[in-house]
Amino acid sequence: MLSPGEQQSLRQIAKLRALGLPSMSWEDLLHEALYRALAGARLWPLSVSLVAFLAQTMRSIASEVRARTANEPIEQAAIGADDEGPSAVETVAGEQTLETELAARQAIRQVEALFSADPQALHVIHGLAEGLTPTETQARAGMNPVQYASAQKRIQRTLARKFGRTSDE
């Protein structure tokens, strides 16, 4: 029941949230969010748009995965580590973190550049990134619900134009 623009937005949000997740692709992240919603593990407040709810669910899942896996490389490295410097596992883990951070920063700059001339769209994007509800974002940005919905549509159209849909998504 999601529009093509909403589907595209969810794919883009999943791709951003899945950056650097060691054990989960963006598709897995999106499917897990949908599964939790359908299974009732996450309750959808009807005052929140479905896209915002699923975006927040993906954010939560990604945080869970990161927290669960954050200490694993360090613990594995500590088992065989000596005092001669960082182990290979610690080095690789540090490189993945740096690569992930750089990729995330680049993606953020790219999205912000796309909407640099649209402050309302930027407010909506930043609100989603911070996990704010539409009402909180509207209050912070001084927008009404119609302006917020219009900004969402502009975001969806711009992302769909910029990133397009491919047959393997």
Side-chain angles (χ1 to χ4, degrees):
M1 295 178 64
L2 294 170
S3 72
E6 291 170 325
Q7 292 173 22
Q8 180 67 19
S9 292
L10 286 172
R11 278 194 292 276
Q12 293 305 319
I13 292 166
K15 287 176 183 179
L16 288 173
R17 291 284 181 210
L19 281 173
L21 291 180
S23 60
M24 187 175 274
S25 70
W26 71 267
E27 294 100 336
D28 294 335
L29 180 61
L30 179 56
H31 292 161
E32 180 66 19
L34 290 167
Y35 171 78
R36 289 186 185 189
L38 293 171
R42 293 288 302 239
L43 299 178
W44 173 26
L46 297 179
S47 62
V48 175
S49 76
L50 181 59
V51 172
F53 167 70
L54 290 172
Q56 182 63 26
T57 302
M58 286 188 280
R59 177 177 170 256
S60 176
I61 294 167
S63 293
E64 289 172 18
V65 171
R66 283 189 181 90
R68 189 172 55 239
T69 60
N71 294 324
E72 288 177 8
I74 295 168
E75 291 170 3
Q76 291 171 358
I79 293 170
D82 53 29
D83 293 334
E84 297 178 14
S87 71
V89 174
E90 290 171 315
T91 302
V92 169
E95 290 170 2
Q96 288 177 344
T97 301
L98 180 59
E99 288 175 11
T100 301
E101 185 176 332
L102 290 174
R105 286 182 185 182
Q106 181 180 5
I108 290 167
R109 282 193 301 268
Q110 188 178 21
V111 169
E112 286 181 336
L114 279 173
F115 298 100
S116 62
D118 189 343
Q120 288 183 334
L122 282 173
H123 280 294
V124 171
I125 291 167
H126 290 147
L128 286 170
E130 294 174 32
L132 300 177
T133 66
T135 305
E136 292 168 331
T137 300
Q138 290 168 31
R140 181 185 280 184
M143 295 173 17
N144 63 42
V146 172
Q147 292 169 317
Y148 182 88
S150 295
Q152 281 185 308
K153 297 283 187 205
R154 289 193 305 275
I155 292 167
Q156 291 168 356
R157 287 191 302 265
T158 301
L159 291 176
R161 270 193 313 271
K162 175 68 177 171
F163 298 106
R165 295 179 69 178
T166 61
S167 60
D168 64 342
E169 293 183 328

